Each structure stands twice: as C-alpha cells, then as structure tokens.
Amino acid sequence: MNNGYLSVYYYEATAAKKIEKFIKTYKQDSSDIVILCIGSSNSNGWSMGPIVGSMLKDKGILNVYGTLDKTIVEDNLMKNLFQIKIKYKNPFIIAVSSDLGDIDDIDSIILKNKALNSELLHSFKVGNLSIKGIVNQLDYECLYQMKKADLCSVYYMAKTISKGIENVVNSR
C-alpha cells in the first residue's frame, strides 16, 4: 500500500485481507459506505462489477448498487448516482469495475484512494475509492478483449473483492 495505491493478485492468500486493510485505511469516518458495482452481464470481462454486487447482496449487504440483475452502465449511471445522493448524506462510495491493462497486470486487483476512471464510463470519474479488476490485456480490440476474458478468473477476482468489502462492512 503506497500513496493511496494497492495492487494485489486475486489468488494471493491474503488478497481479501489486503483489500479490507486498504479500504479501512482510507475510510475512517462514520459515513455510510455505498458500493457501486459497474459493468454489464453481457460480457465476461465487464461482468466482474455486477458479480461483486450480486455476491455482496447475497451476503445481506444492503448499500449495493449494480448486480447481475440490475447492472450499472454508462446509460444509467447518473440516475443511480442521483438515487444515492438522495438516499445517503455524504456517502463514501466504493466504485468497482473491471478494466484492461498490461499483460503483467492481468488477474490483479488495483485499489486507489480516488475516483474510478474506467473505459466503460468513457473516462467519467465516480466514487471516493476505486477497485479495478484487470481481466485482460489492453490492445486495439478492447471490446473483443473484454468478451474473451476468462470467466473463471473474473469470478474468483469478484469473490476476492467481495470478501474484502464484506469484511469492512461487517466490522463497522
């Protein structure tokens, strides 16, 4: 964890604990935590955010926006942010999404103590803390790379992220 940045591979034994510690480091006040899981269920790679949201909802965590049933994509993002703004006073938003990256970063989870900036959102920034899962290599065929991302890796990455977030929410 260095200067508001953490990179961890989902298969590391302590990955969920590192995610938990990172979030707790930057989320120290008593404001509500809202988890905004961005992505689409129509593509293996883009489905990581909604899978995280669904896993958290299945664990009984209520402040989750974006699941496999109700995805959050560019078209409905502003509507969801408006609903969050109405429901919560100054929430701490954890934005979760998948992305493409360097070949060495595939299967890594990147946490930043700043807003999410994602290709899916066309560089729109959202949240107080961002969690990105790197699901495949960035190249000139971005959509194809997202579609052909390994669903098994996406699922286990989502499982690691949701466990880290779950630990934070349940410790409050």
Side-chain angles (χ1 to χ4, degrees):
M1 192 168 21
N2 186 2
N3 293 329
Y5 176 90
L6 171 70
S7 179
V8 60
Y9 288 97
Y10 78 85
Y11 46 78
E12 291 178 31
T14 60
K17 204 67 169 151
K18 288 178 181 178
I19 292 169
E20 174 186 0
K21 183 178 178 186
F22 184 90
I23 295 170
K24 284 180 175 179
T25 297
Y26 295 102
K27 168 61 178 107
Q28 296 184 354
D29 63 14
S30 61
S31 62
D32 290 316
I33 295 175
V34 173
I35 302 100
L36 185 65
C37 301
I38 301 165
S40 170
S41 59
N42 296 330
S43 167
N44 285 359
W46 285 129
S47 67
M48 193 208 69
I51 292 171
V52 169
S54 292
M55 288 177 172
L56 291 170
K57 283 274 193 180
D58 288 348
K59 293 289 187 173
I61 296 171
L62 303 177
N63 301 352
V64 177
Y65 291 77
T67 63
L68 289 169
D69 294 332
K70 293 183 180 180
T71 59
I72 295 180
V73 293
E74 183 182 22
D75 295 343
N76 64 0
L77 175 65
M78 294 309 288
K79 178 182 138 199
N80 281 281
L81 288 173
F82 183 71
Q83 289 173 348
I84 291 167
K85 187 175 178 102
I86 289 172
K87 188 170 181 178
Y88 304 96
K89 183 180 174 169
N90 197 28
F92 184 83
I93 299 174
I94 299 173
V96 180
S97 185
S98 54
D99 214 341
L100 301 172
D102 293 334
I103 196 162
D104 293 337
D105 292 331
I106 295 172
D107 295 337
S108 67
I109 300 165
I110 298 172
L111 291 89
K112 293 182 181 178
N113 184 32
K114 64 182 186 177
L116 175 73
N117 184 5
S118 173
E119 287 296 318
L120 180 63
L121 303 177
H122 301 287
S123 298
F124 183 81
K125 295 180 179 172
V126 63
N128 302 94
L129 186 142
S130 62
I131 302 177
K132 277 191 200 180
I134 306 301
V135 297
N136 212 340
Q137 184 176 3
L138 178 62
D139 71 8
Y140 64 94
E141 294 182 331
C142 293
L143 291 176
Y144 179 70
Q145 290 295 79
M146 279 302 207
K147 285 183 179 182
K148 75 173 200 165
D150 179 44
L151 186 57
C152 184
S153 294
V154 169
Y155 172 82
Y156 285 109
M157 195 178 305
K159 193 171 179 180
T160 300
I161 293 167
S162 64
K163 184 63 180 166
I165 294 171
E166 178 189 354
N167 290 345
V168 170
V169 172
N170 288 338
S171 69
R172 300 188 76 210

